[in-house]
Every structure is written in C-alpha cells, then in structure tokens.
Amino acid sequence: MPAADPPKSGRAPEPRTLYDKVWDAHVVVTREDGESLMWIDRHFVHEGSHHAFNALKERGATVARPDLTFGVADHYVPTRARASLDGVDPSIVGMVDKLSANCAAHGVHLFGLTDPRQGIVHVVGPEQGLTLPGLTLVCGDSHTSTHGAFGAMAFGIGASEVAHVLLTQTIWQRKSKRMRVRVEGTLPPGASAKDIALSFIAKVGSDGARGHAIEYAGSAVRALSMEGRLTLCNLSIESGGRLGMIAPDATTLAYLKGRPMAPEDARLDMAAEVWADLASDPDAAFDREVVLDGAEIAPTVTWGISPEDALPVTGTVPDPARIADEARAAHVRTALDYMGLAPGMKLDAISVDRVFIGSCTNARIEDLRAAAAVLAGRKARVPGLVSPGSSLVKRQAEEEGLDRIFTAAGLEWVESGCSMCVGMNGDLVPPGERCASTTNRNFRGRQGPGARTHIMSPAMVAAAAVTGHLTDLRPLLDGRPVEEPA
C-alpha cells in the first residue's frame, strides 16, 4: 500500500487534519463497532519483542513483510565492554542474542549490537531515512510517538499487537479524537522543545490528552529543528496522547535529503509533492485546542514522580496544604515523600547526586552540542553518564570534539543505548540518589529502585552537573556561542 495515498475523491469531503489524512490513506476496512484495520508501513522490533516472535513460532508462521520490519538492539545493549562483553550480565547478552536470532530466522533487517548504525530505535529510524511523512509506524515501545515529528502516524503497541503486525502487517485501531497544541511566538533564550513539552504536560496533566492524536503547530513549533520536533513528539505519550504529529515542511525535507533509506532525487521530489498536501486543511476541525505562548516558556524541571509535576526552575516546590483539589494534593504529598522534598523549597536549591544525558528523548547531536556548550571549560561537581542516541551520533560528536568536553568535565562517555533511561542494561541510579536526567519519565524507580529523577533539557542537565544542584542554565550561557538547544 502506498505510504501517503491522496484522499479518495468523495470519501471525506469535509476539511481534514493531518491525522485524518494519514488515517484515511491506511484504512483497509472498518467494522461495525468502529474499529478499523490499518495498514502499517514500518514495524520496528527490539529485544523485548521476543514474546511476539515466540507467538509466531508456536503457530509455525513467518513474518508477513520482513521488508517492512526492522530490528534495532537498544533496550538491553551494554554501553561498555561492547567488543568483549567482559563482565556483562549473561541474561542481558541473551536478550540481545534473541533479537539477532529472530531477525535472522525471519529475514528482518537488523541494526544489531556491532552494526555501526546501531542506536536507540527512535533515533535510528529518522537517522536512516526509514521514518517518512505520511507513514504509519509502530513499535512495542510507548515513545514511538517520536516519529510523528515527520508527519507520520506513529504509536506504541503491546506484545500481542506486535505479533499481529508481524503476522499481517496490519493492526486494529479505533480512531482517536483530534487535539491541536499551538505554540505561538518566540522561545526565550535557554528554552527548548523539552521545555515546551514539559510546560504543555504540566498544563493539561499526564492524562489530559487521553484519547487524542495531538498535532503540534504554531510559529514556535515551526521554528524548531527536526531534533527539537522529535523531542516534542516523543513526550506526547506523557500527556496521555495516543500520538503526536507535526506537518512536514521545508525543515523536514532538508533533514531527509541524503538519508540512506529515504527517497532520492526525482523520487524525493515526487514524494515531496504528496507530503505538501498532508498539512491540515485551513478549516479542519479539532476536538480540542490548547494554545501556549512561546515567550512565556522557561527552562523547566520536574520535582515529582510524574512528568506533569513540572515547573520553571525559578519556582518552588508546591505545598499540598494550599491545593484545593484533594486528589491533586494527595498526589503532591506522595510525590514529595518519595522525592524527599519539602513544600516551598526553591527548585534551584535541590542538590543532585549525578546526571544522565541520553535516551530517545534527548541524545541527538543537537542535544549533545547544547550540553557541551554549558560544560565546555568547566568541571562537573557530580558524576554523570553521557550515552549518545546512536553510534553515528557518537561518531559525529567525537569528530566535533564533544566527547572531550564531557570527559574533561568529569563525565563518562559511553556507547549508545537506552541505558539509564530504563536501566535494563544495568546502568542504574543507586537507591536514594537524585539524578538530573534528559529522559522522559520520572516515575518512582524508573532509573533504578529508590532512584529520584528530575527530568529537564540537556543544557539544564549540564548546568546541574556544573553546580551540583538544579540550576537555571541562562547565567551559565552568558557570553557563550550556543546552538539553539532541542
């Protein structure tokens, strides 16, 4: 099935959103109960997909479209001793080996542990040109929404759904409502896509976009680089959204040119004409719209145990006694107890024990440049780990000398993987320690049992490393040439 078929004449005469257009182009059939069978253009699998492969094995079945299925080793991969695997937990090695064996058995292209293109699935897909506007894309990972930055309909699926896609290259879905998040104006210095996302989640809550497909729009969104757009769409799931999308434009096209698996030359020109029609029609209706003033978005940090627990770094820890909503007050009390914080405490007075720069949210080259701009010529007061989003990002960072800035500051420079975001590979925050992190979730124990996580942008993590506490990065940027952070 073509990735971005133009709308069929007469099928949907009313103005349509970006989401409507991609949805309509992929519906195979709709049942009486309203669920539709959707064609899937790209299916990414990782180490955790072995249950789905086992389901195929039990049925004696094979992958329906191995040419549209891509394996990426990321969740469990070690970030050290990768060549020898000395000291690596055998169970972790076993998970990586299972993925290799399953991909080999079914003829699935694998970006494996020793592949120079290996990395986190949500970095590798765009980097290789596999993620394209107008596609449907799924993976057994909730942050698959990342790929929506290209105008793709991308979402995470469960293990049984992974098996269904492997067997049929289709999936049953109920269409979501449409939400537009419009960010207008110019972001102030030091603010980034991560700050937009955290500000939005704090405004609507972690459940505020439930049942909706989010389209990000507005002048501040259009001004973001592709790296920034990927960060923004990555965090869609943290507001409860099914997925996040941004209409493709010249920035998208410029990013895709020259990507190994993207269309080239005349095919790219033809595709660009189709992609130009994906933008929401001017009169298209949304079920809900949220508008943010970009000029009011400040460097933001989380203080609690949900991404919605976010405030500008110049703020103070909330006081549950001053919150009228009892359910919210109870959540704040629970969060403060776990995080070891007191009401009214200034956020920039919260000390940290370590920092982490990595994850599918913020480990692309632009993220590393932003962190390095703060750290250059400075020493970190706390230990920290820097894990690039892919091996290609790592190589580029080393060519630019960013690795030397991180190591000179006292941080550890390691290989690519999900690493300390989920801790499946053994990279953990010790119990009771507080970590300033570029990751996407600050749930209890997310980075390890008893770990306390504060999520923020890469530049803000670098600032926390320099001072040893949550810090407004802006004074640290005075007089320094910096690339706009993602």
Side-chain angles (χ1 to χ4, degrees):
M1 176 177 289
D5 285 338
K8 295 178 180 178
S9 175
R11 183 172 183 178
E14 71 278 7
R16 298 184 300 165
T17 66
L18 165 63
Y19 172 62
D20 293 329
K21 293 178 182 181
V22 181
W23 175 277
D24 290 345
H26 290 82
V27 171
V28 178
V29 65
T30 299
R31 295 192 307 217
E32 290 184 356
D33 66 359
E35 288 213 358
S36 296
L37 189 66
M38 309 293 298
W39 176 259
I40 297 302
D41 296 309
R42 300 280 189 275
H43 184 196
F44 290 110
V45 294
H46 54 74
E47 300 98 304
S49 304
H50 63 94
H51 296 294
F53 281 106
N54 288 341
L56 266 66
K57 188 176 182 180
E58 290 170 2
R59 300 175 63 153
T62 57
V63 174
R65 292 295 300 267
D67 57 323
L68 301 180
T69 308
F70 302 88
V72 183
D74 59 0
H75 279 60
Y76 286 83
V77 296
T79 50
R80 305 171 186 80
R82 190 168 280 186
S84 64
L85 297 179
D86 287 345
V88 178
D89 185 331
S91 65
I92 290 174
V93 176
M95 291 295 289
V96 178
D97 287 345
K98 279 183 186 175
L99 176 66
S100 300
N102 284 323
C103 287
H106 292 274
V108 170
H109 189 110
L110 173 66
F111 298 92
L113 186 63
T114 58
D115 192 310
R117 303 164 298 172
Q118 178 274 338
I120 305 172
V121 59
H122 308 315
V123 177
V124 171
E127 193 172 71
Q128 290 301 311
L130 287 167
T131 306
L132 298 172
L135 298 190
T136 50
L137 192 153
V138 296
C139 176
D141 184 276
S142 56
H143 294 98
T144 304
S145 58
T146 308
H147 305 258
F150 290 80
M153 206 177 93
F155 49 93
I157 57 177
S160 61
E161 292 175 311
V162 171
H164 190 282
V165 178
L166 288 175
L167 280 164
T168 67
Q169 203 59 31
T170 63
I171 189 170
W172 287 100
Q173 289 288 290
R174 188 175 297 279
K175 192 173 183 183
S176 300
K177 294 180 180 179
R178 296 152 296 193
M179 172 186 280
R180 180 163 61 187
V181 177
R182 200 155 50 83
V183 190
E184 301 289 0
T186 303
L187 297 181
S192 67
K194 187 68 165 283
D195 301 303
I196 294 176
L198 291 176
S199 299
F200 166 62
I201 297 166
K203 182 180 179 69
V204 303
S206 59
D207 207 31
R210 177 179 289 277
H212 290 79
I214 303 170
E215 179 177 340
Y216 298 99
S219 57
V221 173
R222 309 307 296 177
L224 292 174
S225 65
M226 283 311 298
E227 286 82 356
R229 297 178 187 188
L230 288 160
T231 297
L232 186 57
C233 288
N234 173 277
L235 290 160
S236 300
I237 189 70
E238 307 308 334
S239 64
R242 179 61 171 144
L243 53 87
M245 304 175 82
I246 297 173
D249 61 5
T251 300
T252 318
L253 204 59
Y255 181 94
L256 287 172
K257 282 183 178 175
R259 298 286 165 183
M261 297 183 180
E264 294 180 317
D265 304 325
R267 292 181 64 226
L268 180 60
D269 293 339
M270 291 172 60
E273 290 184 14
V274 175
W275 297 339
D277 291 332
L278 288 174
S280 292
D281 296 329
D283 298 327
F286 289 85
D287 298 285
R288 187 180 176 194
E289 181 163 62
V290 176
V291 180
L292 300 178
D293 183 349
E296 294 183 353
I297 291 173
T300 300
V301 298
T302 63
W303 52 266
I305 53 175
S306 164
E308 73 177 12
D309 300 333
L311 285 168
V313 68
T314 51
T316 58
V317 174
D319 184 349
R322 295 176 177 272
I323 299 175
D325 182 337
E326 182 48 40
R328 178 62 186 167
H331 168 81
V332 171
R333 280 192 290 270
T334 300
L336 297 188
D337 179 64
Y338 181 81
M339 295 297 288
L341 300 174
M345 184 177 185
K346 294 182 66 175
L347 292 176
D348 62 7
I350 297 172
S351 60
V352 299
D353 300 296
R354 65 182 57 242
V355 301
F356 175 65
I357 298 172
S359 83
C360 59
T361 310
N362 279 125
R364 299 173 181 83
I365 189 65
E366 189 174 290
D367 300 314
L368 301 184
R369 289 172 184 156
V374 175
L375 284 163
R378 294 176 169 134
K379 292 289 186 183
R381 295 194 178 188
V382 294
L385 192 68
V386 184
S387 177
S390 73
S391 297
L392 290 179
V393 170
K394 182 173 187 283
R395 190 175 73 185
Q396 183 175 354
E398 290 171 350
E399 289 172 354
E400 295 181 15
L402 305 183
D403 60 318
R404 295 191 292 278
I405 292 175
F406 293 128
T407 54
L411 304 184
E412 189 178 4
W413 176 252
V414 298
E415 301 290 342
S416 171
C418 294
S419 183
M420 201 178 278
C421 179
V422 287
M424 290 178 174
N425 72 337
D427 291 343
L428 296 169
V429 175
E433 282 201 3
R434 192 181 300 282
C435 181
S437 180
T438 64
T439 52
N440 41 56
R441 286 179 171 163
N442 53 342
F443 302 158
R444 284 176 282 197
R446 168 75 174 183
Q447 293 187 289
R452 294 163 169 165
T453 300
H454 296 270
I455 53 180
M456 61 198 77
S457 72
M460 286 287 287
V461 168
V466 170
T467 63
H469 54 84
L470 304 188
T471 299
D472 189 337
L473 83 160
R474 289 170 289 195
L476 297 177
L477 293 177
D478 284 349
R480 291 189 170 217
V482 287
E483 183 174 329
E484 193 65 23

